[in-house]
């Protein structure tokens, strides 16, 4: 289902590789959250934030730096509080071993490590996870507007236009658009609003022989970026109470043999570069042409390993 992917998070990559332009107004709208009682801080890969801190409008850069400073303060306090929690528990354990003290050491230590990783990222430490998205997280999606390839920030979990906002909870799997349901649930998007997510690898949840959940990482053996076929929607709240939402879903097909052998039943549709413009400019009267693009997709052989 492609529950997670390591994407090309920077606009500069789309500009260099595909000649795309940036919908700067949409980036500003998405990343300019509301202050006060109703803050709207969206989730996005750190690499997207870093780029906006370099090329975004000055006012937006200032807002993002203020957010970083706020997060840095909160994480610093979290680390201090959890270290004190661990120290208190360790002192208690010297007197008597209790479940509470043992739990405080374990939980506190884990929270310190998690907060420190986030703090290191804010301070500039770079890691592959800085470009990874999950459902509910924003990522760059390439679409076509007026004959131009345009990059817009969209949430990875599609809320189709006209549907109520509670669809996000009622249908949490709408980051996955199954090929066999494109003319059903996705009929309002298929043949109309198409996009491409560019990714280097994708991740899937699997149940291992031990009955526990494991995450597998799939990478094309060719090392070529994947051009993942997507559907997207522009959702508007009829009451005006909620902001507009651009969101998308990755289309999945029956699994490639090596993915099926690894234990998963879906694979993203990795289209060929020659089909980019045909996919981004669909004709709703000729859906067969779109299925033909799927049937002519790339088969790079997806090597897998257990994700770190």
């Amino acid at each position: 289902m492609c529950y997670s992917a390591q994407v090309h998070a920077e606009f500069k990559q789309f500009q260099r590789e595909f000649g795309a332009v940036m919908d700067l107004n949409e980036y500003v709208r998405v990343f300019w959250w509301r202050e006060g009682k109703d803050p709207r801080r969206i989730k996005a890969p750190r690499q997207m934030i870093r780029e906006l801190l370099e090329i975004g409008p000055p006012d937006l850069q200032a807002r993002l730096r203020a957010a970083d400073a706020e997060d840095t303060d909160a994480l610093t306090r979290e680390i201090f509080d959890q270290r004190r929690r661990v120290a208190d528990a360790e002192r208690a354990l010297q007197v008597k071993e209790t479940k509470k003290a043992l739990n405080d050491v374990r939980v506190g230590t884990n929270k310190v490590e998690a907060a420190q990783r986030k703090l290191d990222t804010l301070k500039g430490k770079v890691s592959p996870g800085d470009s990874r998205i999950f459902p509910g997280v924003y990522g760059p999606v390439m679409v076509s507007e007026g004959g131009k390839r345009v990059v817009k920030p969209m949430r990875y979990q599609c809320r189709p236009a006209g549907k109520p906002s509670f669809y996000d909870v009622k249908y949490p799997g709408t980051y996955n658009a199954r090929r066999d349901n494109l003319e059903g649930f996705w009929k309002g998007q298929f043949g109309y609003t198409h996009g491409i997510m560019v990714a280097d690898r994708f991740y899937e949840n699997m149940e291992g022989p031990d009955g526990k959940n494991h995450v597998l990482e799939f990478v094309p053996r060719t090392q070529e970026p994947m051009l993942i076929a997507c559907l997207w929607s522009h959702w508007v709240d009829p009451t005006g109470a909620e902001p507009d939402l651009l969101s998308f879903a990755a289309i999945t097909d029956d699994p490639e043999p090596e993915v099926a052998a690894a234990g998963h039943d879906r694979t993203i549709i990795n289209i060929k570069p020659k089909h980019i413009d045909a996919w981004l400019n669909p004709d709703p009267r000729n859906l067969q042409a779109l299925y033909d693009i799927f049937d002519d997709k790339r088969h790079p052989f997806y090597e897998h390993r257990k994700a770190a």
Side-chain angles (χ1 to χ4, degrees):
M1 291 178 67
C2 193
Y3 101 98
S4 176
Q6 184 175 308
V7 304
H8 284 202
E10 293 181 296
F11 161 70
K12 287 178 288 189
Q13 293 176 297
F14 287 87
Q15 185 182 43
R16 181 175 61 251
E17 297 172 21
F18 306 104
V21 298
M22 184 185 204
D23 187 342
L24 186 57
N25 290 335
E26 188 62 27
Y27 271 83
V28 171
R29 186 190 70 81
V30 167
F31 285 91
W32 193 281
W33 63 93
R34 296 192 293 254
E35 294 180 322
K37 295 182 179 180
D38 184 25
R40 188 170 63 91
R41 294 276 296 279
I42 63 100
K43 297 178 181 179
R46 184 62 191 174
Q47 201 59 37
M48 286 183 70
I49 304 297
R50 288 197 185 105
E51 183 177 54
L52 288 174
L53 285 169
E54 294 178 3
I55 68 173
D59 288 349
L60 180 59
Q61 290 186 31
R63 184 65 76 88
L64 292 172
R65 290 193 181 95
D68 279 358
E70 180 182 319
D71 290 343
T72 296
D73 288 345
L75 289 167
T76 301
R77 290 194 299 271
E78 172 75 1
I79 291 171
F80 176 82
D81 291 343
Q82 294 301 324
R83 282 177 174 167
R84 183 172 59 185
R85 176 185 184 181
V86 171
D88 290 345
E90 289 175 339
R91 282 193 294 270
L93 288 171
Q94 292 177 0
V95 178
K96 181 181 179 181
E97 184 175 297
T98 64
K99 290 183 178 180
K100 179 183 182 307
L102 290 170
N103 187 66
D104 282 347
V105 170
R106 178 182 61 81
V107 173
T109 299
N110 289 341
K111 288 188 174 182
V112 167
E113 293 174 352
Q116 188 62 57
R117 285 194 296 270
K118 293 178 182 178
L119 189 58
D120 290 343
T121 297
L122 286 175
K123 291 182 177 180
K125 185 177 180 179
V126 178
S127 69
D130 293 347
S131 297
R132 191 169 171 183
I133 66 167
F134 298 84
V137 174
Y138 276 70
V141 177
M142 185 166 64
V143 303
S144 180
E145 284 188 345
K148 294 182 179 179
R149 297 174 179 178
V150 181
V151 177
K152 297 175 179 285
M154 298 188 189
R155 190 190 71 179
Y156 185 43
Q157 183 189 6
C158 192
R159 183 191 301 168
K163 304 299 184 183
S165 58
F166 68 71
Y167 258 51
D168 295 351
V169 177
K170 186 175 181 179
Y171 300 104
T174 52
Y175 57 90
N176 169 40
R178 292 177 59 102
R179 174 176 174 168
D180 55 15
N181 200 18
L182 295 179
E183 295 181 61
F185 184 87
W186 300 102
K187 63 183 179 180
Q189 291 71 47
F190 184 52
Y192 297 95
T193 49
H194 292 187
I196 290 176
M197 172 174 65
V198 184
D200 294 317
R201 58 200 66 212
F202 63 94
Y203 302 83
E204 301 291 4
N205 281 307
M206 309 281 193
E207 183 176 330
D210 56 2
K212 296 181 180 179
N213 182 71
H214 298 274
V215 177
L216 293 186
E217 174 187 86
F218 292 88
V219 183
R221 181 175 287 174
T222 60
Q223 298 297 309
E224 291 179 312
M226 297 175 287
L227 306 178
I228 301 175
C230 300
L231 301 176
W232 65 278
S233 184
H234 181 181
W235 182 88
V236 178
D237 182 0
T239 70
E242 295 187 46
D244 288 9
L245 173 68
L246 295 185
S247 57
F248 74 104
I251 301 176
T252 62
D253 203 347
D254 292 333
E256 296 291 319
E258 67 274 16
V259 175
H264 199 63
D265 63 351
R266 308 297 298 165
T267 306
I268 49 87
I269 293 180
N270 182 4
I271 71 171
K272 292 180 178 178
K274 68 180 182 180
H275 295 312
I276 290 177
D277 289 324
W279 173 250
L280 294 181
N281 298 278
D283 180 355
R285 298 165 300 179
N286 187 8
L287 298 182
Q288 184 56 50
L290 305 176
Y291 288 118
D292 290 343
I293 291 174
F294 296 163
D295 292 337
D296 192 37
K297 65 186 175 182
R298 293 190 285 184
H299 303 273
F301 191 92
Y302 297 101
E303 297 180 332
H304 75 274
R305 66 176 183 177
K306 188 174 180 180

